[in-house]
Amino acid sequence: MFLIRKKKKVADKNDELLRVLDDNGNWLGFLEKRGVVHEEKKYYGNVAIWIIDRTTGDILIEKRSREKAHNPSKWALIGGHIVNHDTPEDTVFSEVKEEIGVKLNKKRIKKLCILKPVKSNKYGFSHHFYIIIPSKIIKFRLQKEEVEKVKYINYNKFKNKIKSANEKYSGNWIRYKDAFTKLDKILFDAGILREKYEYEEDD
């Protein structure tokens, strides 16, 4: 796997403008600086994408930079905040391109679900997308301010990491369960997963 570091000067993230949402995820009609949104605990939107290798069922994840304010040095899906008047679709495409230097085929990126905040200290409505790629991407250009490294991980192994609240991974099982449930069916129907996962009532 080839990793090429990309040196890029990034403006202060706290100055980015975010759309402020209500507690149902609806835009309230105005923008606010990212730093203010987080400090005042206002609702906002972000994105994440599941990049899935058709041949193995592995997914591509990134290790967040140790300099990140939230979840530093943790493994997570690739994603980011929705800024200005960008759409979730525009954002997920640009985040992948900026953070790991990969230009995905927009037509193959599919909507998965929107995960609502589940904790009192979490305020992001997360738009999840997925794309099934024919073979593993092996060349990346990482944005060092955002990403330390990338790797592929078995889909079910990643699920178990989230479900067990592994401290090295970012993700809440209660919140992610809906995404996993939908992806289980999609990947099973596509022949990528060999058997369905049976969820219990208390999962």
Side-chain angles (χ1 to χ4, degrees):
M1 185 178 294
F2 301 94
L3 302 180
I4 303 174
R5 290 286 179 181
K6 181 183 179 184
K7 294 183 179 180
K8 182 180 178 181
K9 186 177 181 180
V10 179
D12 187 350
K13 292 285 186 178
N14 285 325
D15 288 335
E16 290 179 337
L17 294 176
L18 308 182
R19 279 180 283 188
V20 179
L21 313 177
D22 64 18
D23 57 4
N24 290 313
N26 301 307
W27 185 35
L28 293 175
F30 64 94
L31 305 174
E32 189 66 87
K33 286 186 176 182
R34 176 172 173 166
V36 174
V37 169
H38 286 299
E39 183 179 352
E40 297 185 359
K41 300 179 180 180
K42 296 179 179 179
Y43 292 101
Y44 61 93
N46 59 36
V47 300
I49 186 166
W50 303 72
I51 300 176
I52 305 156
D53 172 35
R54 177 180 290 280
T55 59
T56 63
D58 293 347
I59 62 172
L60 181 65
I61 58 176
E62 66 179 20
K63 189 174 185 181
R64 294 165 59 84
S65 167
R66 68 189 66 183
E67 304 301 326
K68 297 288 286 183
H70 303 284
N71 298 314
S73 295
K74 288 192 176 185
W75 290 100
L77 296 172
I78 299 163
H81 288 65
I82 302 172
V83 300
N84 296 317
H85 295 285
D86 291 350
T87 66
E89 291 79 6
D90 290 336
T91 302
V92 76
F93 177 82
S94 63
E95 286 293 326
V96 174
K97 185 178 179 182
E98 291 171 8
E99 293 193 1
I100 65 172
V102 172
K103 187 176 180 179
L104 297 175
N105 185 333
K106 283 186 176 182
K107 294 181 180 179
R108 296 176 63 184
I109 299 174
K110 308 295 183 183
K111 293 181 180 180
L112 182 64
C113 60
I114 301 176
L115 303 185
K116 298 180 179 180
V118 295
K119 291 184 177 181
S120 59
N121 64 335
K122 300 293 183 181
Y123 297 89
F125 283 81
S126 190
H127 297 250
H128 278 231
F129 296 82
Y130 74 95
I131 183 171
I132 299 174
I133 55 178
S135 59
K136 287 183 176 178
I137 301 164
I138 61 171
K139 190 173 182 180
F140 305 93
R141 187 174 66 251
L142 305 184
Q143 185 180 28
K144 64 179 181 179
E145 296 87 354
E146 300 289 333
V147 184
E148 288 186 18
K149 61 177 73 172
V150 295
K151 72 175 181 179
Y152 286 92
I153 185 172
N154 174 270
Y155 173 79
N156 283 322
K157 183 177 181 180
F158 182 63
K159 182 190 296 181
N160 289 332
K161 296 288 187 183
I162 301 300
K163 188 175 180 181
S164 64
N166 187 291
E167 63 181 10
K168 294 182 180 180
Y169 289 76
S170 172
N172 178 280
W173 174 250
I174 296 174
R175 193 180 191 203
Y176 269 55
K177 181 181 175 182
D178 185 43
F180 277 116
T181 302
K182 288 180 168 61
L183 268 178
D184 284 351
K185 184 177 188 310
I186 291 168
L187 299 183
F188 180 80
D189 291 345
I192 298 173
L193 284 184
R194 295 184 178 180
E195 57 184 33
K196 290 183 178 180
Y197 182 89
E198 297 296 331
Y199 291 89
E200 299 178 1
E201 289 296 325
D202 58 350
D203 272 4

